[in-house]
Amino acid sequence: FGSSQWMYNAGGGFYDFPISNSLRFEDGDSAYLNRTPDASNRKTWTWSSWVKRGNLGLRSIFSAYGGTANDALLAVIKFDASDRLTFDAATFNFLRTNRLFRDPSAWYHIVLAFDTTNATAANRVRMYINGVEETSFSARTNPSEDADHGINGNYAHDIGRNTYQDNQYYDGYLSDVNFIDGTALTPSSFGETKNDIWIPKDTS
């Protein structure tokens, strides 16, 4: 993030909170991070990360799988084969963008807020890109009110691959990955606009 095409100078300057490190994933190495958390809130959570793509096509960023291919125990945030950003559960799409993400030189800040306790069906899954809510989708399925779903259960969660299929390895960079248990947040918790540019801020 300290390069001239991104943060310019990790020591200060324009950015109030420069991020000095990122993690590079090489899909040919089948590299990923894995964690099995204690079971917690499967109705309400927020996931956030800065993402810079390498190889395009079908690549999973974050996923969870509890051992059965159904919508209660399977979920994945990924770029599909057409480079649309999707949030899938089992065989249906919660969200699949119309927009394509094909610029390997760009950093995208992605926020996915999930809250099935919300009485408004269209607000139960919300996606934000660089601080702006995504509203144009080629596919959308609103989860049922108060339903438990795959993220945040006591089973494998992966960053950088599809846990269920053991493939779709991510290629590119990820930085400042955050998972918030029990709260559906907006992008303002993770970034801010400065001179019309969306930049990170200190999430602590």
Side-chain angles (χ1 to χ4, degrees):
F1 269 44
S3 68
S4 60
Q5 71 185 35
W6 179 236
M7 290 300 182
Y8 297 99
N9 186 334
F14 177 80
Y15 296 94
D16 300 320
F17 181 69
I19 299 174
S20 58
N21 294 289
S22 60
L23 186 61
R24 184 176 68 181
F25 292 80
E26 165 58 56
D27 58 354
D29 294 336
S30 302
Y32 66 97
L33 304 177
N34 176 271
R35 179 173 181 261
T36 299
D38 293 330
S40 193
N41 195 327
R42 290 170 51 202
K43 293 179 172 66
T44 307
W45 48 264
T46 307
W47 185 90
S48 166
S49 181
W50 292 86
V51 177
K52 186 176 186 287
R53 304 197 68 188
N55 290 330
L56 303 182
L58 183 58
R59 300 285 186 272
S60 292
I61 307 171
F62 177 61
S63 65
Y65 177 53
T68 329
N70 60 52
D71 61 348
L73 299 177
L74 170 63
V76 58
I77 302 170
K78 68 183 180 183
F79 296 104
D80 71 8
S82 298
D83 300 307
R84 297 169 296 193
L85 185 60
T86 73
F87 175 44
D88 291 347
T91 58
F92 58 88
N93 301 112
F94 280 140
L95 298 176
R96 182 200 297 144
T97 64
N98 278 307
R99 180 157 48 141
L100 306 181
F101 296 83
R102 290 177 170 168
D103 184 357
S105 69
W107 281 96
Y108 303 104
H109 181 234
I110 300 170
V111 174
L112 190 72
F114 188 82
D115 184 12
T116 64
T117 69
N118 196 308
T120 303
N123 290 338
R124 292 174 194 155
V125 187
R126 306 180 80 169
M127 180 185 290
Y128 305 86
I129 309 296
N130 295 337
V132 178
E133 184 166 8
E134 197 76 9
T135 58
S136 179
F137 298 102
S138 61
R140 178 176 194 138
T141 302
N142 297 317
S144 300
E145 189 170 3
D146 289 320
D148 287 323
H149 281 281
I151 303 293
N152 219 14
N154 181 220
Y155 34 77
H157 289 56
D158 290 345
I159 293 175
R161 73 163 184 171
N162 186 313
T163 313
Y164 167 55
Q165 296 180 322
D166 190 18
N167 63 7
Q168 302 172 10
Y169 289 94
Y170 179 69
D171 191 276
Y173 297 81
L174 298 177
S175 190
D176 204 30
V177 178
N178 286 271
F179 181 84
I180 311 300
D181 180 6
T183 309
L185 299 174
T186 65
S188 63
S189 294
F190 309 97
E192 59 191 347
T193 300
K194 185 174 183 179
N195 296 353
D196 295 324
I197 298 173
W198 184 251
I199 61 173
K201 70 180 185 181
D202 187 351
T203 57
S204 66

